[in-house]
């Protein structure tokens, strides 16, 4: 079957208007300079998010989410597996109420865990996530990993397609999917995934997978864009950072975003959250981009992405 992306205009069960960020809506919104890009379903996504992997489900995470929103972030990336959706939801709802910012100005993502694959199980998991966030809908919901059971994986995707038509989620996508997973899903789906969230940084660029996703209009979301901090002292990155008067982290994030990827830096520290957000006000020279590109070494820090690509 030929998959297509469901848009607000073509889904009668989902009569919503996608609104772009308006910096004049509220005092808090006016300080945000975050850039948004369009997904293949017509919705937009802010190009930088606060990642909350391994963040506790308590005050520390609430403070980090609040600090991010205060700094200008408009995208929070969580997951059922992270077990912190409640803390994220409390912080987001409190911040929206305090600032008067419209709900649609903050982009919220969560993910379906492997144990909940299957049509009905997926709906139950999504409803659980919505309850924990205290929200009526999510902006993006992902299959966290392809897992091993292709039949259940496809059932989960059909459930996400239905949830999108019903307005429970605006956009749907996948995470940690390799090329074979992407191709199989597209062959059997009605809706092309809007994103594929995978580990991408200069030392793990996954160019073949990125090219395949680009061919199908699937946006790459880059998690671990700082290689979990393991490459912040790389001498090549350090030299380029010194040239621009930036931190190594800012160079890594800038390189990733300049490739058109959505970047998901993780931090619970307010000053680092702010510093990461200030990574996009400069442009790397072509020769510096080429130097960074040459750092590819298939250096993978995570264990969720099982395929070789």
């Amino acid at each position: 079957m030929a998959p297509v992306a469901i848009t607000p205009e073509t889904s009668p069960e989902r009569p919503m208007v996608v609104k772009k960020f308006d910096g004049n809506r509220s005092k808090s919104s006016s300080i945000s300079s975050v850039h948004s890009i369009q997904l293949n379903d017509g919705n937009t996504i802010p190009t930088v998010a606060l990642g909350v992997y391994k963040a506790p489900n308590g005050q520390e995470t609430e403070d980090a989410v609040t600090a991010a929103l205060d700094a200008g972030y408009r995208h929070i990336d969580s997951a059922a597996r992270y077990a912190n959706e409640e803390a994220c939801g409390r912080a987001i709802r409190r911040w929206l109420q305090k600032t008067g910012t419209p709900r649609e100005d903050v982009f919220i993502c969560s993910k379906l865990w492997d144990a909940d694959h299957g049509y009905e199980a997926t709906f139950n998991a999504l409803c659980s996530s919505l309850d924990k966030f205290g929200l009526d809908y999510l902006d993006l919901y992902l299959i966290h990993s392809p897992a091993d059971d292709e039949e259940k994986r496809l059932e989960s995707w059909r459930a996400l397609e239905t949830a999108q038509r019903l307005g429970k989620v605006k956009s749907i996508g996948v995470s940690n999917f390799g090329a074979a997973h992407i191709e199989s899903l597209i062959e059997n789906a009605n809706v092309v995934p809007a994103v594929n969230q995978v580990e991408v940084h200069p030392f793990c660029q996954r160019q073949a997978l990125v090219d395949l996703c680009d061919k199908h209009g699937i946006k790459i979301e880059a998690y671990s864009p700082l290689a979990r901090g393991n490459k912040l002292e790389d001498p090549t990155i350090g030299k380029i950072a010194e040239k621009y008067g930036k931190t190594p982290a800012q160079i890594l994030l800038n390189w990733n975003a300049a490739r058109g990827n959505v970047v998901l830096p993780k931090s619970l520290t307010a000053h680092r959250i702010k510093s990461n957000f200030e990574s996009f006000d400069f442009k790397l020279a072509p020769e510096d981009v080429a130097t960074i590109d040459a750092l590819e070494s298939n250096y993978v820090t995570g264990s969720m992405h099982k395929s070789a690509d």
Side-chain angles (χ1 to χ4, degrees):
M1 71 182 61
V4 296
I6 292 178
T7 67
E9 291 74 22
T10 61
S11 176
E13 297 179 60
R14 184 172 169 247
M16 66 175 70
V17 177
V18 177
K19 299 181 180 179
K20 295 186 178 180
F21 173 75
D22 181 352
N24 295 319
R25 284 185 180 174
S26 69
K27 179 179 179 181
S28 180
S29 293
S30 67
I31 68 170
S32 176
S33 59
V34 65
H35 175 61
S36 292
I37 54 178
Q38 191 171 68
L39 298 173
N40 61 16
D41 58 8
N43 294 317
T44 57
I45 183 171
T47 55
V48 58
L50 177 71
V52 293
Y53 173 60
K54 287 190 175 180
N57 193 32
Q59 191 62 49
E60 187 178 12
T61 296
E62 291 183 48
D63 291 344
V65 170
T66 300
L69 293 170
D70 284 342
Y73 289 74
R74 294 296 179 266
H75 184 173
I76 307 298
D77 181 87
S78 184
R81 182 65 170 175
Y82 302 168
N84 55 25
E85 292 169 312
E86 291 156 316
C88 291
R90 286 192 298 268
I92 292 166
R93 297 194 313 272
R94 186 182 306 119
W95 187 87
L96 292 175
Q97 183 176 19
K98 177 182 177 181
T99 62
T101 303
R103 160 67 182 90
E104 61 264 30
D105 281 0
V106 178
F107 190 101
I108 303 166
C109 172
S110 194
K111 308 177 191 73
L112 174 77
W113 184 236
D114 297 4
D116 295 316
H117 281 203
Y119 193 84
E120 291 186 10
T122 295
F123 268 109
N124 291 336
L126 172 58
C127 289
S128 177
S129 288
L130 288 170
D131 287 343
K132 290 176 180 178
F133 273 108
L135 299 173
D136 295 327
Y137 71 92
L138 293 174
D139 296 276
L140 179 63
Y141 195 53
L142 309 179
I143 296 179
H144 203 149
S145 105
D148 297 322
D149 190 325
E150 182 178 17
E151 182 178 353
K152 282 191 173 182
R153 182 193 316 150
L154 294 175
E155 289 176 2
S156 289
W157 187 252
R158 286 192 288 108
L160 263 62
E161 291 177 335
T162 301
Q164 185 184 44
R165 290 196 299 271
L166 295 174
K168 296 297 183 182
V169 294
K170 286 189 175 182
S171 297
I172 56 177
V174 298
S175 181
N176 297 299
F177 273 45
H181 303 125
I182 292 289
E183 291 172 339
S184 173
L185 183 61
I186 289 177
E187 182 179 351
N188 291 280
N190 290 311
V191 179
V192 176
V195 306
N196 186 15
Q197 187 178 124
V198 293
E199 179 177 352
V200 173
H201 47 73
F203 307 90
C204 176
Q205 298 176 27
R206 304 190 191 278
Q207 195 58 54
L209 179 59
V210 170
D211 289 344
L212 175 67
C213 289
D214 185 62
K215 172 185 174 181
H216 293 290
I218 301 170
K219 183 58 62 179
I220 292 291
E221 286 193 294
Y223 71 73
S224 297
L226 304 179
R228 300 197 180 187
N230 297 338
K231 295 294 186 178
L232 294 179
E233 296 184 6
D234 179 87
T236 299
I237 296 298
K239 185 176 180 180
I240 294 174
E242 184 177 356
K243 173 182 175 180
Y244 288 88
K246 300 292 183 178
T247 68
Q250 289 172 332
I251 296 298
L252 293 174
L253 293 173
N254 186 286
W255 172 89
N256 221 322
R259 292 164 73 89
N261 300 332
V262 176
V263 292
L264 312 173
K266 174 210 166 184
S267 180
L268 293 175
T269 307
H271 78 272
R272 288 179 182 166
I273 289 171
K274 184 174 184 293
S275 178
N276 288 340
F277 192 72
E278 295 169 345
S279 301
F280 314 105
D281 60 352
F282 67 100
K283 183 176 182 180
L284 292 166
E287 61 270 21
D288 294 322
V289 172
T291 297
I292 297 173
D293 288 348
L295 295 174
E296 167 65 65
S297 57
N298 194 31
Y299 179 80
V300 181
T301 68
S303 60
M304 288 288 294
H305 193 103
K306 305 296 186 183
S307 61
D309 49 14

